[in-house]
Coordinates of all heavy atoms in Angstrom, one line a residue:
Y1 N -65.5 173.3 71.0 CA -65.5 173.1 72.4 C -65.5 171.6 72.8 O -65.7 170.8 72.0 CB -66.6 173.8 73.1 CG -66.7 175.2 72.9 CD1 -68.0 175.8 72.7 CD2 -65.6 176.1 72.9 CE1 -68.1 177.2 72.5 CE2 -65.7 177.4 72.8 CZ -67.0 178.0 72.5 OH -67.1 179.3 72.4
G2 N -65.2 171.4 74.0 CA -65.3 170.0 74.5 C -64.1 169.8 75.5 O -63.5 170.7 76.0
C3 N -63.9 168.5 75.8 CA -62.8 168.1 76.7 C -61.4 168.4 76.1 O -61.2 168.1 74.9 CB -62.9 166.6 77.1 SG -64.5 166.3 77.9
F4 N -60.5 168.9 76.9 CA -59.2 169.1 76.4 C -58.1 168.6 77.4 O -56.9 168.4 77.0 CB -58.9 170.5 76.0 CG -59.1 171.5 77.1 CD1 -58.0 172.0 77.9 CD2 -60.4 172.0 77.4 CE1 -58.2 172.9 78.9 CE2 -60.6 173.0 78.4 CZ -59.5 173.4 79.1
I5 N -58.5 168.2 78.6 CA -57.6 167.6 79.6 C -58.3 166.4 80.2 O -59.5 166.5 80.6 CB -57.2 168.6 80.7 CG1 -56.4 169.8 80.2 CG2 -56.4 167.8 81.8 CD1 -56.1 170.8 81.2
G6 N -57.6 165.2 80.2 CA -58.3 164.0 80.7 C -57.7 162.8 80.1 O -56.7 162.8 79.4
D7 N -58.4 161.7 80.4 CA -57.9 160.3 80.0 C -58.5 160.0 78.6 O -59.3 159.1 78.5 CB -58.3 159.3 81.0 CG -57.6 158.0 80.8 OD1 -56.6 157.9 80.0 OD2 -58.2 157.0 81.3
F8 N -58.1 160.6 77.6 CA -58.5 160.4 76.2 C -57.5 160.9 75.3 O -56.6 161.7 75.7 CB -59.9 161.0 76.0 CG -59.9 162.5 76.3 CD1 -59.5 163.5 75.4 CD2 -60.3 162.9 77.6 CE1 -59.5 164.8 75.8 CE2 -60.3 164.2 78.0 CZ -59.9 165.2 77.0
A9 N -57.6 160.5 74.0 CA -56.6 161.0 73.0 C -57.4 161.5 71.8 O -58.4 160.9 71.4 CB -55.6 159.9 72.6
P10 N -57.0 162.6 71.2 CA -56.0 163.5 71.6 C -56.4 164.4 72.8 O -57.6 164.7 72.9 CB -55.6 164.4 70.4 CG -57.0 164.4 69.7 CD -57.6 163.1 70.0
A11 N -55.5 164.7 73.7 CA -55.7 165.6 74.8 C -54.6 166.6 74.9 O -53.4 166.3 74.6 CB -55.9 164.9 76.1
A12 N -54.9 167.8 75.3 CA -53.8 168.8 75.5 C -52.9 168.3 76.6 O -51.6 168.5 76.6 CB -54.4 170.2 75.9
Y13 N -53.5 167.6 77.6 CA -52.7 167.0 78.7 C -53.4 165.7 79.1 O -54.6 165.8 79.5 CB -52.5 167.9 79.9 CG -51.7 167.4 81.0 CD1 -50.3 167.4 80.9 CD2 -52.2 166.8 82.1 CE1 -49.5 166.9 81.9 CE2 -51.4 166.3 83.1 CZ -50.1 166.3 83.0 OH -49.3 165.8 84.0
R14 N -52.8 164.6 79.0 CA -53.5 163.3 79.4 C -53.2 162.9 80.8 O -52.1 162.8 81.2 CB -53.0 162.2 78.4 CG -53.9 161.0 78.5 CD -53.8 160.1 77.3 NE -54.8 159.0 77.5 CZ -55.0 158.1 76.6 NH1 -54.3 158.1 75.5 NH2 -55.9 157.2 76.8
T15 N -54.3 162.7 81.6 CA -54.2 162.3 83.0 C -55.5 161.7 83.4 O -56.6 162.0 82.8 CB -53.9 163.6 83.8 OG1 -53.9 163.2 85.2 CG2 -55.0 164.7 83.7
T16 N -55.5 160.9 84.5 CA -56.7 160.3 85.1 C -57.1 161.1 86.3 O -58.1 160.9 87.0 CB -56.5 158.9 85.5 OG1 -55.4 158.7 86.4 CG2 -56.3 158.0 84.2
A17 N -56.2 162.1 86.7 CA -56.5 162.9 87.9 C -57.6 163.9 87.8 O -58.3 164.2 88.7 CB -55.2 163.7 88.3
V18 N -57.9 164.4 86.5 CA -58.9 165.4 86.3 C -59.3 165.3 84.9 O -58.6 164.9 84.0 CB -58.3 166.8 86.7 CG1 -57.2 167.2 85.8 CG2 -59.4 167.9 86.8
E19 N -60.5 165.9 84.6 CA -61.0 166.1 83.3 C -61.5 167.5 83.2 O -62.2 167.9 84.1 CB -62.1 165.1 82.9 CG -62.6 165.2 81.5 CD -63.7 164.1 81.2 OE1 -63.3 163.0 81.2 OE2 -64.8 164.5 81.0
V20 N -61.1 168.2 82.2 CA -61.5 169.6 82.0 C -62.1 169.8 80.6 O -61.5 169.4 79.6 CB -60.3 170.6 82.2 CG1 -60.8 172.1 82.1 CG2 -59.7 170.4 83.6
A21 N -63.3 170.5 80.6 CA -63.9 170.8 79.3 C -64.6 172.2 79.3 O -64.9 172.7 80.4 CB -65.0 169.7 79.1
I22 N -64.8 172.7 78.2 CA -65.6 173.9 77.9 C -66.8 173.3 77.1 O -66.6 172.8 76.0 CB -64.9 175.0 77.2 CG1 -63.7 175.5 78.0 CG2 -65.9 176.2 77.0 CD1 -62.8 176.5 77.3
K23 N -68.0 173.4 77.7 CA -69.2 172.9 77.0 C -70.1 174.0 76.5 O -70.2 175.0 77.2 CB -70.0 172.0 78.0 CG -69.2 170.8 78.5 CD -69.1 169.7 77.4 CE -68.5 168.4 78.0 NZ -68.6 167.4 77.1
D24 N -70.6 173.8 75.3 CA -71.6 174.7 74.7 C -72.9 174.0 74.6 O -73.0 172.9 74.1 CB -71.0 175.1 73.3 CG -71.9 176.1 72.7 OD1 -72.4 177.0 73.3 OD2 -72.0 176.1 71.4
H25 N -73.9 174.5 75.2 CA -75.3 173.9 75.2 C -76.3 174.9 74.6 O -76.3 176.0 74.9 CB -75.7 173.6 76.7 CG -74.8 172.7 77.4 ND1 -74.8 171.3 77.2 CD2 -73.8 172.9 78.3 CE1 -73.9 170.7 77.9 NE2 -73.3 171.7 78.6
R26 N -77.1 174.3 73.7 CA -78.1 175.2 73.0 C -79.3 175.4 73.9 O -79.6 174.7 74.9 CB -78.5 174.5 71.7 CG -79.4 173.3 71.9 CD -79.7 172.6 70.6 NE -80.7 171.6 70.7 CZ -80.5 170.4 71.3 NH1 -79.3 170.1 71.8 NH2 -81.5 169.6 71.4
K27 N -80.0 176.5 73.6 CA -81.2 176.9 74.3 C -82.2 175.8 74.2 O -82.4 175.2 73.1 CB -81.8 178.2 73.7 CG -83.1 178.6 74.4 CD -83.6 179.8 73.7 CE -85.0 180.2 74.3 NZ -85.5 181.4 73.7
G28 N -82.8 175.4 75.3 CA -83.8 174.3 75.4 C -83.3 172.9 75.5 O -84.0 172.0 75.7
E29 N -81.9 172.8 75.5 CA -81.3 171.5 75.6 C -81.6 171.0 77.0 O -81.5 171.7 78.0 CB -79.8 171.6 75.4 CG -79.1 170.3 75.4 CD -77.6 170.5 75.1 OE1 -77.2 171.5 74.5 OE2 -76.8 169.6 75.4
R30 N -81.9 169.7 77.1 CA -82.1 169.0 78.4 C -81.2 167.8 78.4 O -81.1 167.1 77.5 CB -83.6 168.6 78.6 CG -84.5 169.7 78.7 CD -85.9 169.2 79.0 NE -86.8 170.1 79.7 CZ -86.6 170.3 81.0 NH1 -85.7 169.8 81.7 NH2 -87.4 171.2 81.6
W31 N -80.6 167.6 79.6 CA -79.8 166.4 79.8 C -80.6 165.5 80.6 O -81.3 165.9 81.5 CB -78.4 166.8 80.4 CG -77.4 167.2 79.5 CD1 -77.6 168.0 78.3 CD2 -76.0 167.0 79.5 NE1 -76.4 168.2 77.7 CE2 -75.4 167.6 78.4 CE3 -75.2 166.3 80.4 CZ2 -74.1 167.6 78.2 CZ3 -73.9 166.3 80.2 CH2 -73.3 166.9 79.1
P32 N -80.4 164.2 80.5 CA -81.1 163.2 81.3 C -80.7 163.4 82.8 O -79.6 163.8 83.1 CB -80.7 161.9 80.8 CG -79.5 162.1 80.0 CD -79.5 163.5 79.5
T33 N -81.6 163.0 83.7 CA -81.3 163.0 85.1 C -80.2 162.0 85.3 O -80.2 160.9 84.8 CB -82.5 162.7 85.9 OG1 -83.5 163.7 85.6 CG2 -82.3 162.6 87.4
H34 N -79.2 162.4 86.1 CA -78.0 161.5 86.3 C -77.3 161.8 87.6 O -77.5 162.8 88.2 CB -77.0 161.6 85.1 CG -76.4 162.9 85.0 ND1 -77.0 164.0 84.4 CD2 -75.1 163.4 85.4 CE1 -76.1 165.1 84.5 NE2 -75.0 164.7 85.1
Y35 N -76.3 161.0 87.9 CA -75.4 161.2 89.0 C -74.0 160.6 88.6 O -73.9 159.8 87.6 CB -75.9 160.6 90.3 CG -76.0 159.1 90.4 CD1 -74.9 158.4 90.8 CD2 -77.1 158.5 90.0 CE1 -75.0 157.0 90.9 CE2 -77.2 157.1 90.0 CZ -76.1 156.4 90.5 OH -76.2 155.0 90.6
H36 N -73.0 160.9 89.3 CA -71.7 160.3 89.1 C -71.4 159.5 90.3 O -71.7 159.8 91.5 CB -70.6 161.4 89.0 CG -70.8 162.2 87.8 ND1 -70.3 161.9 86.5 CD2 -71.4 163.4 87.6 CE1 -70.6 162.8 85.6 NE2 -71.3 163.7 86.2
Q37 N -70.8 158.3 90.1 CA -70.5 157.3 91.1 C -69.4 157.8 92.0 O -69.5 157.7 93.3 CB -70.2 156.0 90.5 CG -71.3 155.4 89.8 CD -70.9 154.1 89.1 OE1 -70.9 153.0 89.7 NE2 -70.5 154.2 87.8
S38 N -68.3 158.3 91.5 CA -67.1 158.7 92.2 C -66.6 160.1 92.0 O -65.7 160.6 92.7 CB -66.0 157.7 91.9 OG -66.4 156.4 92.2
V39 N -67.0 160.7 90.9 CA -66.5 162.0 90.4 C -67.2 163.1 91.1 O -68.4 163.1 91.3 CB -66.7 162.1 88.9 CG1 -66.4 163.5 88.4 CG2 -65.8 161.1 88.2
T40 N -66.4 164.1 91.5 CA -66.9 165.4 92.0 C -66.8 166.3 90.7 O -65.8 166.4 90.1 CB -66.1 166.0 93.1 OG1 -66.2 165.2 94.2 CG2 -66.6 167.4 93.5
E41 N -67.9 167.0 90.4 CA -68.0 167.8 89.2 C -68.1 169.3 89.6 O -69.1 169.6 90.3 CB -69.1 167.4 88.3 CG -69.2 168.2 87.0 CD -70.4 167.7 86.2 OE1 -70.3 166.6 85.6 OE2 -71.4 168.4 86.1
I42 N -67.2 170.1 89.2 CA -67.2 171.6 89.5 C -67.5 172.3 88.2 O -66.8 172.1 87.2 CB -65.9 172.0 90.1 CG1 -65.5 171.2 91.3 CG2 -65.9 173.5 90.4 CD1 -64.1 171.1 91.7
N43 N -68.5 173.2 88.2 CA -69.0 173.9 87.1 C -69.0 175.4 87.3 O -69.4 175.8 88.3 CB -70.4 173.4 86.7 CG -70.6 171.9 86.5 OD1 -70.4 171.5 85.4 ND2 -70.8 171.2 87.6
V44 N -68.6 176.1 86.2 CA -68.6 177.5 86.2 C -69.4 177.9 85.0 O -69.0 177.6 83.8 CB -67.2 178.2 86.2 CG1 -67.4 179.7 86.2 CG2 -66.4 177.7 87.3
L45 N -70.5 178.6 85.2 CA -71.4 179.1 84.1 C -70.8 180.4 83.5 O -70.7 181.4 84.2 CB -72.8 179.3 84.5 CG -73.8 179.7 83.4 CD1 -73.8 178.7 82.2 CD2 -75.2 180.0 84.0
L46 N -70.2 180.4 82.3 CA -69.6 181.5 81.7 C -70.6 182.5 81.0 O -70.5 183.7 81.1 CB -68.5 181.1 80.7 CG -67.4 180.3 81.2 CD1 -66.5 179.8 80.0 CD2 -66.6 181.0 82.2
H47 N -71.6 181.8 80.4 CA -72.5 182.6 79.6 C -73.9 181.9 79.6 O -73.9 180.6 79.5 CB -72.0 182.7 78.1 CG -72.9 183.3 77.2 ND1 -73.1 184.7 77.1 CD2 -73.7 182.8 76.3 CE1 -74.0 184.9 76.1 NE2 -74.4 183.8 75.6
G48 N -75.0 182.6 79.6 CA -76.3 182.0 79.5 C -77.0 181.9 80.8 O -76.6 182.4 81.8
V49 N -78.1 181.1 80.8 CA -78.9 180.8 81.9 C -79.2 179.3 81.9 O -79.7 178.8 80.9 CB -80.2 181.6 82.0 CG1 -81.1 181.3 83.2 CG2 -79.9 183.1 82.0
M50 N -79.0 178.6 83.0 CA -79.4 177.2 83.1 C -80.1 177.0 84.4 O -80.1 177.8 85.3 CB -78.2 176.3 82.9 CG -77.2 176.4 84.1 SD -75.8 175.2 83.9 CE -76.6 173.7 84.1
K51 N -80.8 175.9 84.4 CA -81.5 175.5 85.6 C -81.0 174.1 86.0 O -80.9 173.2 85.1 CB -83.0 175.4 85.3 CG -83.9 175.3 86.4 CD -85.4 175.6 85.9 CE -86.4 174.7 86.6 NZ -87.7 175.0 86.1
I52 N -80.7 173.9 87.3 CA -80.2 172.6 87.7 C -81.0 172.3 89.0 O -81.0 173.1 90.0 CB -78.7 172.5 87.9 CG1 -78.3 171.1 88.2 CG2 -78.2 173.5 88.9 CD1 -76.9 170.8 87.7
N53 N -81.7 171.2 89.0 CA -82.6 170.8 90.1 C -83.5 171.9 90.6 O -83.6 172.2 91.8 CB -81.7 170.3 91.3 CG -81.0 169.0 90.9 OD1 -81.2 168.4 89.8 ND2 -80.2 168.5 91.8
G54 N -84.0 172.7 89.6 CA -85.0 173.8 90.0 C -84.4 175.1 90.3 O -85.1 176.1 90.6
T55 N -83.0 175.2 90.4 CA -82.3 176.4 90.8 C -81.8 177.0 89.5 O -81.1 176.4 88.7 CB -81.2 176.2 91.8 OG1 -81.8 175.6 93.0 CG2 -80.5 177.4 92.1
Y56 N -82.0 178.3 89.3 CA -81.5 179.0 88.1 C -80.1 179.4 88.4 O -79.7 180.0 89.5 CB -82.3 180.3 87.8 CG -83.6 179.9 87.1 CD1 -84.8 179.7 87.9 CD2 -83.7 179.7 85.7 CE1 -86.0 179.3 87.3 CE2 -84.9 179.4 85.1 CZ -86.0 179.2 85.9 OH -87.2 178.8 85.3
M57 N -79.2 179.2 87.4 CA -77.8 179.6 87.4 C -77.6 180.8 86.4 O -78.1 180.7 85.3 CB -76.9 178.5 87.1 CG -77.0 177.3 88.0 SD -76.4 177.7 89.7 CE -77.0 176.4 90.6
M58 N -76.8 181.8 86.8 CA -76.5 182.9 86.0 C -75.0 183.0 85.7 O -74.2 182.3 86.4 CB -77.0 184.2 86.7 CG -78.4 184.1 87.1 SD -79.5 183.8 85.8 CE -80.2 185.4 85.5
P59 N -74.6 183.7 84.7 CA -73.2 183.8 84.4 C -72.3 184.2 85.7 O -72.7 185.0 86.5 CB -73.1 185.0 83.4 CG -74.4 184.9 82.7 CD -75.4 184.6 83.8
G60 N -71.3 183.4 85.9 CA -70.4 183.6 87.1 C -70.7 182.7 88.2 O -69.9 182.5 89.1
D61 N -71.9 182.0 88.2 CA -72.3 181.1 89.2 C -71.4 179.8 89.1 O -71.1 179.4 88.0 CB -73.7 180.7 89.1 CG -74.7 181.8 89.6 OD1 -74.2 182.7 90.3 OD2 -75.9 181.6 89.4
I62 N -71.0 179.3 90.3 CA -70.2 178.1 90.4 C -71.1 177.1 91.2 O -71.7 177.5 92.2 CB -68.9 178.3 91.2 CG1 -68.1 179.3 90.4 CG2 -68.2 177.0 91.4 CD1 -66.9 179.8 91.2
F63 N -71.2 175.9 90.7 CA -71.9 174.9 91.4 C -71.2 173.6 91.4 O -70.5 173.2 90.4 CB -73.4 174.7 90.9 CG -73.5 174.4 89.5 CD1 -73.7 173.0 89.1 CD2 -73.5 175.3 88.5 CE1 -73.9 172.7 87.8 CE2 -73.7 175.0 87.2 CZ -73.8 173.7 86.8
V64 N -71.2 172.9 92.5 CA -70.5 171.6 92.6 C -71.5 170.5 92.8 O -72.5 170.6 93.5 CB -69.6 171.7 93.9 CG1 -68.9 170.3 94.1 CG2 -68.6 172.8 93.8
V65 N -71.3 169.4 92.0 CA -72.1 168.2 92.1 C -71.2 167.1 92.7 O -70.2 166.7 92.1 CB -72.6 167.8 90.7 CG1 -73.4 166.5 90.8 CG2 -73.3 168.9 90.0
D66 N -71.6 166.7 93.9 CA -70.9 165.7 94.6 C -71.2 164.3 94.1 O -72.3 164.0 93.6 CB -71.2 165.8 96.1 CG -70.6 167.1 96.7 OD1 -69.4 167.4 96.5 OD2 -71.4 167.7 97.5
P67 N -70.3 163.3 94.4 CA -70.7 161.9 94.0 C -72.0 161.5 94.6 O -72.2 161.7 95.8 CB -69.5 161.1 94.6 CG -68.4 162.1 94.7 CD -69.0 163.4 95.0
G68 N -72.8 160.8 93.8 CA -74.1 160.3 94.3 C -75.2 161.3 94.2 O -76.4 161.0 94.4
E69 N -74.9 162.6 94.0 CA -75.9 163.7 94.0 C -76.6 163.6 92.6 O -76.0 163.7 91.6 CB -75.3 165.0 94.2 CG -76.3 166.2 94.1 CD -75.6 167.5 94.4 OE1 -74.4 167.6 94.6 OE2 -76.3 168.5 94.3
I70 N -77.9 163.5 92.6 CA -78.7 163.4 91.4 C -79.0 164.8 90.9 O -79.5 165.6 91.6 CB -80.0 162.5 91.6 CG1 -79.6 161.1 92.0 CG2 -80.9 162.6 90.4 CD1 -80.8 160.3 92.5
V71 N -78.8 165.0 89.6 CA -79.0 166.3 89.0 C -79.8 166.2 87.7 O -79.7 165.2 87.0 CB -77.7 167.0 88.7 CG1 -77.0 167.4 90.0 CG2 -76.8 166.2 87.8
T72 N -80.6 167.2 87.4 CA -81.4 167.3 86.2 C -81.1 168.7 85.6 O -81.7 169.7 86.0 CB -82.9 167.2 86.5 OG1 -83.1 165.9 87.1 CG2 -83.7 167.2 85.2
P73 N -80.1 168.8 84.7 CA -79.8 170.1 84.1 C -80.7 170.4 82.9 O -81.1 169.5 82.1 CB -78.4 170.0 83.6 CG -78.1 168.5 83.6 CD -79.2 167.8 84.4
A74 N -81.1 171.7 82.7 CA -81.8 172.2 81.6 C -81.2 173.6 81.2 O -80.8 174.4 82.1 CB -83.3 172.4 81.9
F75 N -81.1 173.9 79.9 CA -80.5 175.1 79.5 C -81.5 176.1 78.9 O -82.1 175.9 77.9 CB -79.4 174.7 78.5 CG -78.4 173.8 79.0 CD1 -78.6 172.4 78.9 CD2 -77.3 174.2 79.8 CE1 -77.7 171.5 79.5 CE2 -76.4 173.4 80.4 CZ -76.6 172.0 80.3
V76 N -81.8 177.1 79.7 CA -82.8 178.1 79.5 C -82.4 179.0 78.3 O -83.2 179.4 77.5 CB -83.1 178.9 80.7 CG1 -84.2 180.0 80.5 CG2 -83.5 178.0 81.9
R77 N -81.1 179.3 78.2 CA -80.5 180.1 77.1 C -79.3 179.4 76.7 O -78.8 178.5 77.4 CB -80.2 181.5 77.6 CG -81.4 182.4 77.9 CD -80.9 183.8 78.1 NE -82.1 184.6 78.6 CZ -82.0 185.5 79.5 NH1 -80.8 185.9 80.0 NH2 -83.1 186.1 79.9
R78 N -78.7 179.7 75.6 CA -77.5 179.1 75.1 C -76.4 179.3 76.2 O -76.3 180.4 76.8 CB -77.0 179.7 73.8 CG -75.7 179.1 73.4 CD -75.2 179.7 72.0 NE -73.9 179.4 71.8 CZ -72.8 180.1 72.2 NH1 -73.0 181.3 72.6 NH2 -71.6 179.7 72.0
C79 N -75.7 178.3 76.6 CA -74.8 178.3 77.7 C -73.4 177.9 77.3 O -73.2 177.0 76.5 CB -75.2 177.4 78.9 SG -76.8 178.0 79.7
E80 N -72.4 178.5 78.0 CA -71.0 178.0 77.9 C -70.6 177.7 79.4 O -70.8 178.6 80.2 CB -70.1 179.0 77.3 CG -70.3 179.2 75.8 CD -69.4 180.3 75.3 OE1 -69.2 181.3 75.9 OE2 -68.9 180.1 74.2
V81 N -70.1 176.5 79.6 CA -69.8 176.1 81.0 C -68.4 175.5 81.0 O -68.1 174.6 80.1 CB -70.9 175.0 81.4 CG1 -70.6 174.6 82.9 CG2 -72.3 175.5 81.3
I82 N -67.6 175.8 82.0 CA -66.4 175.1 82.2 C -66.7 174.0 83.2 O -67.3 174.3 84.3 CB -65.3 176.1 82.8 CG1 -64.9 177.1 81.8 CG2 -64.1 175.2 83.3 CD1 -63.9 178.1 82.4
V83 N -66.3 172.8 82.9 CA -66.6 171.6 83.7 C -65.3 171.0 84.1 O -64.5 170.7 83.2 CB -67.5 170.6 82.9 CG1 -67.8 169.4 83.8 CG2 -68.7 171.3 82.4
V84 N -65.1 170.8 85.4 CA -63.9 170.1 85.9 C -64.4 168.9 86.7 O -65.2 169.1 87.6 CB -63.1 171.1 86.8 CG1 -61.9 170.3 87.4 CG2 -62.7 172.3 86.1
K85 N -63.9 167.7 86.3 CA -64.3 166.5 87.0 C -63.1 165.9 87.7 O -62.0 165.8 87.1 CB -64.9 165.5 86.0 CG -66.2 165.9 85.4 CD -66.6 164.9 84.4 CE -67.9 165.3 83.7 NZ -68.4 164.4 82.7
I86 N -63.2 165.7 89.0 CA -62.1 165.1 89.8 C -62.6 163.9 90.5 O -63.6 163.9 91.2 CB -61.7 166.2 90.9 CG1 -61.3 167.5 90.2 CG2 -60.5 165.6 91.7 CD1 -61.1 168.6 91.2
P87 N -61.9 162.7 90.3 CA -60.9 162.5 89.3 C -61.5 162.3 87.9 O -62.7 162.3 87.8 CB -60.3 161.1 89.8 CG -61.4 160.4 90.5 CD -62.2 161.5 91.1
G88 N -60.6 162.1 86.9 CA -61.1 162.0 85.6 C -61.4 160.6 85.2 O -60.7 160.0 84.4
I89 N -62.5 160.1 85.7 CA -62.9 158.7 85.5 C -63.9 158.6 84.3 O -64.9 159.2 84.4 CB -63.5 158.0 86.8 CG1 -62.5 158.1 87.9 CG2 -64.0 156.6 86.5 CD1 -63.2 157.7 89.2
R90 N -63.5 157.9 83.3 CA -64.4 157.7 82.2 C -65.5 156.7 82.5 O -65.3 155.8 83.2 CB -63.6 157.2 81.0 CG -62.6 158.3 80.5 CD -61.7 157.8 79.4 NE -62.5 157.5 78.2 CZ -62.0 157.0 77.1 NH1 -60.8 156.7 77.0 NH2 -62.8 156.7 76.1
G91 N -66.7 157.0 82.0 CA -67.8 156.1 82.3 C -68.4 156.2 83.7 O -69.1 155.2 84.1
D92 N -68.2 157.2 84.4 CA -68.7 157.4 85.8 C -70.1 157.8 85.9 O -70.7 157.7 86.9 CB -67.7 158.3 86.5 CG -68.0 158.4 88.0 OD1 -67.8 157.4 88.7 OD2 -68.5 159.5 88.4
K93 N -70.6 158.4 84.8 CA -72.0 158.9 84.9 C -73.0 157.8 84.8 O -72.9 156.9 84.0 CB -72.2 159.9 83.7 CG -73.6 160.5 83.7 CD -73.9 161.3 82.4 CE -73.1 162.6 82.4 NZ -73.4 163.4 81.2
V94 N -74.1 157.9 85.6 CA -75.2 156.9 85.7 C -76.5 157.7 85.4 O -76.8 158.6 86.1 CB -75.3 156.2 87.0 CG1 -76.5 155.3 87.1 CG2 -74.0 155.5 87.4
I95 N -77.1 157.3 84.3 CA -78.4 157.9 83.9 C -79.5 157.3 84.7 O -79.6 156.0 84.8 CB -78.7 157.7 82.4 CG1 -77.6 158.2 81.5 CG2 -80.0 158.3 82.0 CD1 -77.3 159.7 81.6
T96 N -80.3 158.1 85.4 CA -81.4 157.6 86.2 C -82.7 157.6 85.5 O -83.6 156.8 85.8 CB -81.5 158.3 87.6 OG1 -81.8 159.7 87.3 CG2 -80.2 158.2 88.4
C97 N -82.9 158.5 84.6 CA -84.1 158.6 83.7 C -83.8 159.5 82.6 O -83.0 160.4 82.7 CB -85.4 158.9 84.4 SG -85.5 160.6 85.1
T98 N -84.5 159.4 81.5 CA -84.3 160.3 80.3 C -85.4 161.3 80.2 O -86.4 161.3 80.8 CB -84.3 159.4 79.0 OG1 -85.4 158.7 78.9 CG2 -83.0 158.6 79.0

């Protein structure tokens, strides 16, 4: 799994307009608190249970993270997530704490 559309090589389709990935996260995984400077991130939880900013997400849930919105994701069960970032700007994520 991972990114397959975006501004990187190799990519199924190379573009700066969008980045698309299928992410696999293990149970108990925690990502650092962060935000994106310019990117809007659209997520679809395919499988598992995750918690983002204290809200539990279940399979089929869609959540949008707007530019500047601070998030703290945690993976309660193994998760598969489709992630779409618009635009596909590399290095846009800012870690606020670990």
Side-chain angles (χ1 to χ4, degrees):
Y1 300 139
C3 296
F4 59 96
I5 296 173
D7 187 23
F8 51 85
Y13 183 81
R14 192 158 186 179
T15 180
T16 59
V18 66
E19 183 175 295
V20 181
I22 300 174
K23 298 287 190 169
D24 186 36
H25 300 282
R26 71 184 189 289
K27 177 182 177 180
E29 184 177 343
R30 293 183 149 289
W31 276 36
T33 300
H34 67 278
Y35 67 92
H36 294 276
Q37 297 175 82
S38 302
V39 167
T40 298
E41 184 179 286
I42 303 157
N43 301 270
V44 180
L45 182 60
L46 298 176
H47 174 79
V49 177
M50 67 178 289
K51 192 168 142 179
I52 189 147
N53 293 357
T55 301
Y56 284 92
M57 299 292 165
M58 306 304 254
D61 284 349
I62 298 170
F63 58 97
V64 177
V65 180
D66 292 313
E69 181 179 355
I70 297 173
V71 293
T72 305
F75 303 91
V76 179
R77 295 190 187 142
R78 182 179 163 262
C79 293
E80 292 177 318
V81 184
I82 295 176
V83 182
V84 178
K85 295 178 182 177
I86 303 168
I89 300 172
R90 295 174 64 180
D92 185 69
K93 182 188 288 186
V94 176
I95 305 298
T96 60
C97 68
T98 55

